[in-house]
Structures are given as structure tokens and as C-alpha cells.
Amino acid sequence: MSKEIKEVPVLRVQNLGITFGGLKAVDSFSIDIGKSEFVGLIGPNGAGKTTVFNLLTGVYMPTEGSFYLEGQKMNGKKTHQVVAAGISRTFQNIRLFKKMTVIENVMVTMNMHMSYSLVSSIFRLPKYWKQEEEARKKALELLDIVNLKDKADITAENLPYGQQRRLEIARALGTGMKLLLLDEPAAGMNPTETSELLDIINVIRTKFNISILLIEHDMSLVMKVCERIQVIDYGVTIASGTPEEIANNPKVIEAYLGKDEEEGVALC
């Protein structure tokens, strides 16, 4: 009888943790994310969510545990190596090249895939122009997905806040990642902007067939897009399951709202 062969997860995290000055910010964090899976990572403020992202992108080096991208161990790799391997992210606080144009912000993420030489770049040889044109075309396609194609030549700092958020997503997509980490993409957005973001996320899921790990405080957004949700509090996982299971989990409700079992408070 043949054994069932399980697909290697895009991301496998095993007992990942980090300690700052004797304080465990993240403790024994584990998660598997399969191909094209959309997973939410939620928890109260200060729970350690962004710290997890910083561990997965080489900003911090874990003091315990390990993590793998399609079976490749990523511990100890620097941020640019992590991005080259296939993990990209957005940030809680917008980080754009604000003096560059919208399209330049996206094209700069494609530099790692350029193969023309320094000589070709200096003397503007045919190989340089060909690859730059290909990058520009791809950048415009990504900007179209996030509804910013008509803003391509505007300086990034002149975009409204919500559009800057969407530009960050386009820039992350430009790296050609396998796993996209979205850190509170709806933060500061009004309901109309959040609704547009939801549409964009759904297009990204369909078009790119990538895995996504989302941190978000807007529970209505989380419940609509995530197939599975993991909850951490004080750096420790307290629950994992479907959106419905999480919304009615007493431990999760207590972590967010305080213990009130009689009222049966749910998150959605």
C-alpha cells in the first residue's frame, strides 16, 4: 500500500522564539502555510505579531527554533537574502521611497532579477534597455492590479495615505515572492478604502497563486479573506482554527475583550 505524499509547505515554522533582555517576545511559535493558502495572524496590541514578521524576514535573528521556505532553512539569512529566496512584506508604518515616482518604487524591487552588467547600465546598451522596458511593463501591470496605473509618474509622497498603502503592496509583489506578509494593510483606511483593499487582495490571490500571511486588526477583513487564523497573546499561540472557530473561541474573546462568558461576545 503506497503512502500518501504530502506537499512541502511554503512556510514551515517550528518553535520559533526570541528574547529581548530576558523577556520572551515570541515563544515557541509554530505554523505551516500551504501553497496558495491565506492565513491570518491576530492578537491584541503588543502580542508579538510584528515581531514574528521581523523574525521571518531577517530583521531579527531567532534565539530559538527554525523556519523553512519550501524546505529551505532560512535561519541566519539577512533580509535581502530572505527577499531573494521568496519572502516579501509590507510594513505597519509605510516605507516608500517618497521622492521617487510610483512606478520607480515598484521597478526598484525588480533589480535583483536584472542580469545586465554595470557596463550595459553605464553605456545604456541594448540589454539594459530591453530589461528596463520589461520591468516597466511588469510594474505597470502590478500598478493596474492595485488601481494605481494612472498614478505611475506621480511622486510617491504626493499619493493619499490609502494609495500609499496600496503602492506598498504593489512593491512587495514586484519581488516575485512565494510568500507575502501583509502587516496591517488596512490600518488607517476608511471603509471605502478597506473595501477596495479587499477586492485587490482577492485579485492577488487569484492571479498570483501565492501564500499570504496577514496581520490585521480589522476583524471583518480578516474573517472575509482568511481560510485559517492563528492567535497569539504575549508571544504565545492561544488558538488556531477556521474564522468561525476563532470568532467563538473563549480564550480569544478573553484576550481581546476581557472575560465575559455570560454575554457570549464574538469577534465577528
Side-chain angles (χ1 to χ4, degrees), residues 21-233:
L23 174 66
K24 276 201 168 183
V26 175
D27 187 7
S28 299
F29 179 81
S30 298
I31 193 171
D32 279 2
I33 300 179
K35 186 174 178 60
S36 305
E37 192 175 13
F38 201 131
V39 180
L41 178 62
I42 68 171
N45 287 328
K49 305 181 296 296
T50 295
T51 302
V52 169
F53 273 24
N54 286 337
L55 288 168
L56 297 178
T57 52
V59 177
Y60 298 150
M61 295 298 164
T63 51
E64 61 183 38
S66 55
F67 68 104
Y68 304 81
L69 182 70
E70 293 187 334
Q72 178 186 0
K73 191 170 184 178
M74 304 298 290
N75 289 56
K77 292 188 181 296
K78 296 180 179 178
T79 298
H80 71 275
Q81 295 172 316
V82 172
V83 174
I87 299 178
S88 188
R89 72 176 293 184
T90 63
F91 293 86
Q92 256 183 350
N93 300 313
I94 295 173
R95 299 186 186 182
L96 299 172
F97 297 109
K98 296 202 171 177
K99 298 297 181 183
M100 295 171 64
T101 65
V102 167
I103 194 167
E104 287 170 345
N105 265 275
V106 180
M107 288 178 67
V108 75
T109 67
M110 303 174 189
N111 284 344
M112 71 182 74
H113 305 298
M114 301 291 195
S115 61
Y116 57 72
S117 66
L118 179 61
V119 172
S120 291
S121 175
I122 292 173
F123 293 103
R124 299 295 195 266
L125 299 180
K127 188 173 184 179
Y128 166 84
W129 287 116
K130 181 181 178 182
Q131 292 191 15
E132 284 293 308
E133 182 56 33
E134 289 172 352
R136 183 176 177 83
K137 182 179 178 181
K138 181 180 177 182
L140 286 171
E141 290 173 356
L142 296 177
L143 290 174
D144 192 31
I145 289 169
V146 298
N147 301 328
L148 289 175
K149 187 175 181 179
D150 61 333
K151 306 288 193 305
D153 296 319
I154 294 175
T155 305
E157 66 181 354
N158 292 325
L159 290 178
Y161 177 84
Q163 292 181 6
Q164 288 189 23
R165 281 275 179 202
R166 301 206 309 265
L167 176 55
E168 266 212 320
I169 294 174
R171 192 173 63 171
L173 293 173
T175 65
M177 74 283 103
K178 302 166 186 173
L179 173 68
L180 176 61
L181 310 179
L182 296 175
D183 195 348
E184 297 193 35
M189 288 187 174
N190 61 42
T192 300
E193 290 170 331
T194 301
S195 178
E196 186 176 10
L197 175 66
L198 176 60
D199 292 340
I200 289 169
I201 288 174
N202 285 328
V203 170
I204 290 170
R205 292 178 66 185
T206 303
K207 185 176 180 64
F208 291 93
N209 201 31
I210 58 173
S211 304
I212 300 176
L213 181 59
L214 168 75
I215 293 174
E216 184 52 63
H217 283 293
D218 185 332
M219 287 298 104
S220 63
L221 177 64
V222 173
M223 297 296 170
K224 286 175 182 174
V225 300
C226 295
E227 301 162 65
R228 182 162 51 89
I229 299 171
Q230 189 150 325
V231 190
I232 61 175
D233 192 20

